Amino acid sequence: MNDSPGRTPPGPSPSDEQGNGVPAQSAPADDQAVRTEEPAPRAEETAPAAQWAREQPPRGQWSTPSAGPPPVPRRPARARAESNAGPTGPYGPGQGAWGGNHWAPTPPAPQPGVIPLRPLGVGEILEGSFGTLRRHWRTALGISLAVAVTTQAVTTVVTGVWFRDNPGFEYLDNPASASPGETLDAIGESLPGTGVTALVSLLGSIIATALLTVVVSRAVLGRSTSVADAWRSARPQLLRLSGLLFLLPALIVGVFGVAVAPGLLISAAGAKAVGVGVALFGSLAGMAGAAWLWIQFSLAAPALMLERQGVIASLRRSAKLVRGSWWRIFGVQLLAVFLVFVVATVIGIPVGIIEMIFTGESATSGTIGWSTLIISGVAAVISTTLMAPITAGVTALLYLDQRIRRESLDIELAQAASNSK
């Protein structure tokens, strides 16, 4: 009997299977595993010829009954994917029952309003802010337009009356040509006008922040609100919000002043070179500290408005929510500031051209006329009207996102949205 290459040795005869002491020879389970060399003779093959039957079957792959069922041929990967794409169980397409090879996909998060009720990405926060402006543009733009027109009108009048016709302020345009006493006198005379404009701008920011926070919080639940509804909801918190928005700038300016003060004192003592270096280093440290405070307490306003907390409690609440996510919140807020800068620049370029065409002067020149002030005021109103809802929306959505991540607020929001239907 000839052995052909690529085959296995002959299997046992029926008499061997009945217990004649000859071990059985089993083939590989996988039909792709094929031997290519003739195996070495085994001890069983050198046994006396009496142990073998006279007529042997052709060589092939034989296995004992205990070897299990024959191997199932494998299907190509594409065929397996196509078969798995269909319904394989009671859980829908591509989903198996218990013990199957597929898990049921995670259901999408509910989205009753402008954001899905789950932890948000940066793009979803920005999209939610713009979505609030698109869906509730009458309320959002109405609030920001009213605030922008009021504050900018006061700023334009104060600038035109207080600064434009006062010759002492020329020293502020060219401080190098003025003595220290003249510069200090000009600064002292400018403080009342600057204080009035800053106060009006701060009050406008308080009202806009309060009302727009209410609009965004209801837009998350899919609810629309009017200006009157937003005012009724925000009015009880306006006094506390005023205290908060007065305190935050004071803290930031105080930290920056403390950092710069040593350099100024050294310079005043006579060591100007050393004082300038210390003041420069202190200004960098002051800017870092001011930025840290800005982000640390950036969520205090929505916490005060939506949780009805006091000033100090809202500051603590913001610090707790920001903890561990400072850099992420800093990036999102910095992106919002960049968007405001881009919008202001895009609006400011044609405004500057219009000023030069119709007035022959610009806001950066030494003399400013009423025409220039009015045109600049109109540009500021347009920029503020468009961007105030975006910045307020980013801050409010950051607050909600942090509460969703830390406190599972999305469950409560989903229940509130379902109950309001």
Side-chain angles (χ1 to χ4, degrees):
M1 181 171 59
N2 296 328
D3 292 338
S4 59
R7 299 283 184 176
T8 57
S13 63
S15 60
D16 295 333
E17 295 179 357
Q18 294 176 1
N20 58 1
V22 180
Q25 178 74 21
S26 61
D30 195 344
D31 58 351
Q32 295 180 356
V34 179
R35 297 187 181 184
T36 57
E37 297 181 358
E38 182 69 21
R42 296 171 52 180
E44 290 83 358
E45 296 180 358
T46 60
Q51 296 181 1
W52 297 89
R54 292 182 178 273
E55 295 181 1
Q56 298 292 328
R59 290 180 178 267
Q61 296 183 356
W62 301 85
S63 60
T64 61
S66 61
V72 179
R74 294 185 176 180
R75 293 175 296 169
R78 183 172 181 178
R80 293 197 303 269
E82 292 176 354
S83 64
N84 291 336
T88 59
Y91 303 101
Q95 306 168 23
W98 293 103
N101 296 327
H102 305 281
W103 293 95
T106 303
Q111 185 172 345
V114 294
I115 59 169
L117 300 182
R118 56 170 172 75
L120 303 175
V122 176
E124 291 172 328
I125 291 175
L126 296 177
E127 176 61 27
S129 300
F130 284 99
T132 302
L133 184 59
R134 288 195 307 267
R135 297 188 187 185
H136 309 281
W137 63 271
R138 290 184 179 87
T139 303
L141 293 181
I143 293 171
S144 58
L145 178 61
V147 172
V149 168
T150 303
T151 57
Q152 191 59 44
V154 174
T155 301
T156 300
V157 171
V158 170
T159 303
V161 173
W162 195 273
F163 292 93
R164 190 178 68 89
D165 298 329
N166 194 329
F169 295 150
E170 294 179 359
Y171 297 120
L172 297 179
D173 297 329
N174 299 305
S177 62
S179 64
E182 292 173 339
T183 302
L184 289 176
D185 291 340
I187 293 175
E189 293 177 0
S190 67
L191 285 179
T194 304
V196 170
T197 55
L199 177 63
V200 172
S201 299
L202 184 59
L203 291 176
S205 176
I206 291 169
I207 296 174
T209 301
L211 299 182
L212 292 174
T213 300
V214 174
V215 174
V216 174
S217 65
R218 296 187 179 181
V220 169
L221 301 177
R223 303 173 185 173
S224 59
T225 183
S226 63
V227 177
D229 293 336
W231 173 255
R232 282 193 297 268
S233 179
R235 184 175 57 187
Q237 297 297 108
L238 286 179
L239 185 59
R240 293 178 179 177
L241 187 63
S242 301
L244 176 65
L245 295 185
F246 274 103
L247 180 60
L248 285 178
L251 286 174
I252 293 174
V253 172
V255 168
F256 187 82
V258 169
V260 177
L264 297 178
L265 293 175
I266 294 174
S267 180
K272 293 185 177 180
V274 177
V276 170
V278 174
L280 180 60
F281 178 79
S283 63
L284 296 177
M287 286 189 291
W292 183 84
L293 284 177
W294 169 47
I295 299 301
Q296 191 76 359
F297 300 131
S298 62
L299 306 182
L304 186 145
M305 289 300 304
L306 301 179
E307 298 184 28
R308 308 288 178 175
Q309 297 197 22
V311 175
I312 304 302
S314 63
L315 291 175
R316 293 174 179 171
R317 180 67 165 152
S318 176
K320 180 180 179 181
L321 292 174
V322 171
R323 188 180 301 121
S325 302
W326 192 95
W327 285 106
R328 177 176 178 272
I329 296 175
F330 174 75
V332 176
Q333 294 282 27
L334 194 63
L335 181 59
V337 172
F338 176 74
L339 289 177
V340 172
F341 172 76
V342 170
V343 172
T345 303
V346 170
I347 296 175
I349 291 175
V351 168
I353 297 174
I354 293 173
E355 289 177 355
M356 293 298 297
I357 293 175
F358 290 97
T359 66
E361 59 186 18
S362 64
T364 58
S365 61
T367 59
I368 301 176
W370 282 103
S371 300
T372 301
L373 290 175
I374 292 173
I375 295 175
S376 300
V378 170
V381 167
I382 296 173
S383 176
T384 303
T385 301
L386 292 177
M387 295 312 300
I390 302 301
T391 55
V394 167
T395 303
L397 292 179
L398 272 173
Y399 162 80
L400 294 175
D401 177 57
Q402 289 300 110
R403 289 198 61 187
I404 288 174
R405 293 173 182 269
R406 295 176 179 269
E407 303 170 358
S408 300
L409 182 65
D410 50 335
I411 299 175
E412 298 180 13
L413 293 176
Q415 293 175 352
S418 62
N419 293 334
S420 64
K421 293 182 179 179

